[in-house]
Amino acid sequence: MRLRKAARIILIGAPGVGKGTQAVRLLESFPQLATISSGELLRNNVKKQTPLGIKVASTMSIGQLVPDSIIVRLILLELQTRGWLFPSTDSSSLVLSNTSGSRDTDISTNRSSFPDKASPIQTSDDPSASFILDGFPRSLNQARELDQVIPINLVVYLKTPTSKILERIAGRLVHAPSGRVYNTTFNKPKVDGIDDLTGGVLTKRDDDQLETWKTRLEQFESTSRPLLDYYADKGLLWEVEGTSSDEITPQLLSEVVRRFGENE
Ligand code: AP5
Ligand code: MG
């Protein structure tokens, strides 16, 4: 399927609700889309032991949210690296202010330009500038920061009963290098414990312990309501509920077609 205009979608939902899974399905149906997962970006930094990764590793392993200042800059740099943000001035080495007011971060870059909130960012309406953000923004602060540089045009709130999610987390396996997600019951790999595409070994995520997951859920519950209200007030929120992918995926695909798909 083809998009007729840029889709800038964010996925919001409890840990394990299927954000990553639905993002992959959207990509399969709409080749013009691309996805950024905040969790994947962070896990890659942890794995590579970058200064940022070292800083956030313990926070992530106990299921707490990393500071807004770090995640906002990480995501905006990624958006810019992928060419989805176009600073409208020839700014050099501009740095986003952060919500805590401190210039903490370890994110060093050799790139010469960086989005500056003081100068308006031009967004492209070309379908090739479409993206899905999985797991970002996660708080009202983060949403406001994002709004200053790029307008989102669809917010998807995925809902599934907590009891179902718990079963899924117990069965989740990931291919760490690519972030591909499997499950021992749903979406099994072709060969047990092995990634379908590369033949690499599948592992469990470090934060998929029951206690850690509970903390992640508490974090979600305490930060998501203001975020959802914020986007509902803007008329951007679309909610979808289901206990299985068979219920959610078709609804999600048809909503994306309705809003962004090419007219037949
Ligand atoms: P992140 O990686 O975003 O984790 P999360 O929100 O806890 O969500 P998950 O990735 O666990 O679940 P998912 O919804 O993607 O579900 P999945 O598709 O895998 O964040 C990790 C950490 O990074 C955070 O705790 C925090 O520390 C930090 N962080 C990230 N973003 C941040 C931010 N913005 N601000 C601050 N800190 C941030 O599905 C789960 C399982 O269920 C899989 O096994 C899957 O195969 C299976 N499954 C999926 N759909 C179905 C279905 N329909 N039926 C049956 N099984 C299914
Ligand atoms: Mg995920």
Side-chain angles (χ1 to χ4, degrees), residues 4-241:
R4 70 172 188 285
K5 62 174 185 177
R8 295 182 290 271
I9 302 172
I10 64 178
L11 301 181
I12 300 178
V17 75
K19 299 181 292 295
T21 303
Q22 299 295 346
V24 168
R25 291 178 174 191
L26 282 170
L27 300 195
E28 285 166 1
S29 295
F30 297 95
Q32 291 154 300
L33 280 173
T35 184
I36 297 177
S37 155
S38 52
E40 281 305 310
L41 279 180
L42 290 166
R43 281 187 286 279
N44 286 341
N45 275 275
V46 172
K47 194 166 147 236
K48 289 182 191 151
Q49 299 238 305
T50 65
L52 181 139
I54 291 166
K55 194 165 181 176
V56 300
S58 59
T59 309
M60 290 180 72
S61 69
I62 55 167
Q64 299 285 353
L65 295 181
V66 308
D68 287 348
S69 54
I70 292 183
I71 192 73
V72 167
R73 295 185 63 190
L74 186 63
I75 294 282
L76 294 180
L77 273 171
E78 185 70 17
L79 287 170
Q80 194 184 32
T81 303
R82 299 213 193 181
W84 297 331
L85 293 181
F86 310 99
S88 58
T89 60
D90 60 341
S91 50
S92 62
S93 279
L94 295 169
V95 178
L96 278 176
S97 69
N98 59 53
T99 46
S100 65
S102 66
R103 288 188 47 145
D104 67 345
T105 118
D106 316 297
I107 304 170
S108 55
T109 172
N110 293 325
R111 282 183 287 275
S112 61
S113 68
F114 194 76
D116 174 15
K117 290 196 296 191
S119 63
I121 299 289
Q122 296 166 351
T123 52
S124 166
D125 238 354
D126 191 278
S128 64
S130 297
F131 59 80
I132 305 168
L133 297 181
D134 156 5
F136 179 90
R138 261 213 189 20
S139 66
L140 187 54
N141 265 343
Q142 293 180 11
R144 289 188 171 136
E145 293 272 359
L146 182 64
D147 259 358
Q148 298 202 31
V149 288
I150 196 158
I152 293 306
N153 52 18
L154 175 62
V155 176
V156 175
Y157 177 27
L158 299 169
K159 296 198 283 189
T160 292
T162 306
S163 55
K164 281 275 162 203
I165 295 182
L166 205 48
E167 287 168 22
R168 295 178 186 182
I169 292 294
R172 174 160 63 185
L173 291 172
V174 293
H175 178 241
S178 67
R180 263 185 296 282
V181 179
Y182 298 86
N183 197 282
T184 48
T185 52
F186 159 89
N187 191 24
K188 281 169 81 152
K190 290 183 185 130
V191 178
D192 280 354
I194 300 294
D195 179 45
D196 290 351
L197 297 189
T198 63
V201 174
L202 303 179
T203 50
K204 276 196 89 64
R205 245 168 65 175
D206 289 345
D207 59 356
D208 271 351
Q209 313 303 326
L210 180 62
E211 281 312 308
T212 316
W213 178 80
K214 282 186 186 160
T215 309
R216 283 156 56 205
L217 185 65
E218 282 162 19
Q219 290 278 309
F220 174 74
E221 284 169 349
S222 65
T223 56
S224 58
R225 196 67 259 168
L227 182 66
L228 294 166
D229 290 346
Y230 175 77
Y231 286 122
D233 287 348
K234 289 176 175 284
L236 294 173
L237 187 64
W238 179 77
E239 303 189 0
V240 58
E241 186 159 8

